Amino acid sequence: MTHNIQQLKKLYKTKGIEITGVTKLVGGNPKIAAVLVANGIEILADSRIENIKKMIKSGIKAQYLLLRTPSLSQVEEVVTYADISLNSELKILKELSKYALIHQTIHKVILMVELGDLREGIMPVDIDNTVKEVLELKGIDFIGIGSNLACYGGVNPDVNKMNELSSIAIHLENKFKIRLTIVSGGNSANYNWFKSSKNTGRINNLRIGESMFLGREALCRKVIPNLFTDAFTLVVEIIETKIKPSKPYGKIYQNANGKIRKIKDKGVMNRGILAIGRQDVAISGIIPKQNISILGASSDHIMIDNTKSNLNVADTVEFSLNYKALLRVLNSSYITKNIIY
Ligand SMILES: *Cc1c(COP(=O)(O)O)cnc(C)c1O
């Protein structure tokens, strides 16, 4: 992880881009946050104010950015714990202003611009009016704009999209005679744009999670050269191994997941059960390192084909994880997180 962070920092710096470290994938784990800070990440960003609170209470010194646009019900906490937040709603911005005044603080805001992915963002035609009102809000420091692509619609943050964001930044600076200190182009999906661009325009920030933790860009999920993809390993204990039939017997109805399964009869086999289930991990996002295969899962169990490996009760199976699997695992309170330095 340390290697990945250092490499990414160095790479993006070559074209004037600072990286904000996104901790939501690791559930705001303070020990992991400490690794980011120790390697020169100055801004930690998370989608949940609860994770930000946890990192602050664990003594991690950084600037904190709230990634998900604030809920009205959490505005006071946002002003208390986050230094910066991404925003797209005036109603929320006015509340942030109100609580910033009450708490005698200045809350920094980045306005998100919709560029086509259709998650958060102000439509470009409305940005001038919004900025005009935000500049009048007391206790609010308008420090920049940002965009987020490749999340809902899978829209590529390509040169056209990034040029559009740069143009909006330049337009706002000229029109309102201001200086935007942050123009945040996106996330781990911006890697291909970054590599293929000589000139990255006014974009000077990316918010990076997946590439640091899993070593991949997020558009095609290709490995970024020289990065590690195995910083995380899921290790699970076996709680039963038996020779049993391969096909369920009796009258077949819905299983725990609401599915009626048609399972082929492959004769008797060596089956195992792992002590982990759907509530802890996205089953489709884990790949075993041993020669076993996953037969199915319920909330607390994963059934495996143990024919080739012949593992025993109390043996462990190791898995590599993709984004959605890692997200769930690191947020499961049932899974112990061991950090090996
Ligand atoms: C999750 C998130 C990111 C980071 O995405 P990665 O693909 O993990 O780099 C960046 N910005 C916003 C707004 C996010 O929600």
Side-chain angles (χ1 to χ4, degrees):
M1 214 167 72
T2 293
H3 172 86
N4 287 359
I5 299 162
Q6 289 172 353
Q7 292 286 309
L8 287 165
K9 252 192 92 112
K10 206 164 78 184
L11 174 74
Y12 283 116
K13 191 78 197 171
T14 58
K15 295 175 194 168
I17 292 181
E18 296 286 343
I19 61 177
T20 290
V22 175
T23 52
K24 70 180 185 217
L25 180 55
V26 297
N29 184 307
K31 287 182 183 154
I32 297 177
V35 175
L36 303 194
V37 172
N39 286 286
I41 300 287
E42 287 168 7
I43 306 177
L44 295 178
D46 205 290
S47 47
R48 310 279 173 150
I49 196 68
E50 294 83 353
N51 287 348
I52 290 178
K53 254 165 102 168
K54 181 164 75 184
M55 291 185 277
I56 292 173
K57 293 200 164 144
S58 305
I60 310 298
K61 297 266 179 292
Q63 282 204 75
Y64 285 95
L65 184 155
L66 182 67
L67 283 173
R68 190 170 65 184
T69 47
S71 309
L72 191 69
S73 58
Q74 292 187 325
V75 157
E76 186 163 15
E77 279 192 297
V78 173
V79 164
T80 309
Y81 295 103
D83 303 285
I84 313 167
S85 59
L86 305 184
N87 283 274
S88 61
E89 289 289 350
L90 259 178
K91 183 172 178 173
I92 304 291
L93 286 152
K94 285 177 184 166
E95 284 291 294
L96 287 169
S97 162
K98 183 175 126 190
Y99 283 102
L101 289 180
I102 292 172
H103 288 270
Q104 299 184 317
T105 179
I106 302 285
H107 185 70
K108 296 179 189 143
V109 301
I110 293 173
L111 294 183
M112 296 302 277
V113 183
E114 177 62 68
L115 293 182
D117 199 57
L118 301 184
R119 209 178 70 182
E120 71 276 36
I122 300 159
M123 291 300 286
V125 291
D126 298 323
I127 191 90
D128 285 10
N129 285 337
T130 309
V131 167
K132 187 166 172 283
E133 294 209 41
V134 170
L135 288 173
E136 282 162 13
L137 294 175
K138 297 207 168 62
I140 295 292
D141 185 9
F142 171 46
I143 62 164
I145 61 171
S147 66
N148 193 67
L149 293 152
C151 272
Y152 168 72
V155 173
N156 186 352
D158 60 12
V159 65
N160 291 332
K161 299 293 183 189
M162 290 302 103
N163 284 351
E164 189 181 348
L165 190 66
S166 277
S167 303
I168 293 170
I170 294 162
H171 160 79
L172 291 174
E173 291 185 327
N174 292 337
K175 175 159 179 162
F176 294 100
K177 313 246 174 316
I178 51 175
R179 175 81 191 152
L180 298 177
T181 52
I182 292 185
V183 181
S184 188
N187 52 47
S188 294
N190 282 57
Y191 174 79
N192 297 305
W193 158 76
F194 175 84
K195 284 296 279 184
S196 61
S197 304
K198 279 215 174 64
N199 182 347
T200 48
R202 278 286 282 114
I203 314 297
N204 64 5
N205 175 275
L206 289 174
R207 310 171 304 271
I208 301 290
E210 182 164 1
S211 302
M212 284 192 305
F213 299 123
L214 292 169
R216 292 174 191 272
E217 52 80 30
L219 212 53
C220 309
R221 298 255 146 49
K222 292 216 175 79
V223 178
I224 296 176
N226 299 320
L227 295 198
F228 290 108
T229 57
D230 59 351
F232 293 86
T233 301
L234 174 66
V235 183
V236 191
E237 269 180 66
I238 300 183
I239 54 174
E240 179 186 301
T241 58
K242 290 194 192 309
I243 307 297
K244 289 188 183 182
S246 46
K247 186 175 159 57
Y249 46 96
K251 294 209 172 70
I252 306 298
Y253 283 78
Q254 289 183 11
N255 68 8
N257 311 310
K259 300 255 163 59
I260 298 172
R261 289 197 63 180
K262 289 203 179 67
I263 295 171
K264 275 211 188 104
D265 192 354
K266 292 189 275 183
V268 292
M269 63 189 292
N270 185 340
R271 304 170 66 90
I273 301 179
L274 304 182
I276 189 171
R278 290 188 185 275
Q279 66 173 313
D280 308 295
V281 65
I283 309 298
S284 62
I286 56 176
I287 300 168
K289 296 185 177 181
Q290 284 117 304
N291 197 2
I292 58 113
S293 61
I294 294 175
L295 299 167
S298 57
S299 309
D300 304 292
H301 302 77
I302 292 180
M303 274 58 71
I304 61 166
D305 180 345
N306 187 32
T307 319
K308 290 178 181 146
S309 287
N310 217 355
L311 298 166
N312 294 312
V313 167
D315 284 348
T316 55
V317 179
E318 296 194 352
F319 295 90
S320 61
L321 307 101
N322 73 5
Y323 186 90
K324 66 176 175 183
L326 187 59
L327 182 69
R328 191 105 53 91
V329 160
L330 288 175
N331 281 290
S332 169
S333 57
Y334 300 106
I335 294 178
T336 309
K337 289 89 184 176
N338 287 329
I339 300 190
I340 301 164
Y341 294 92

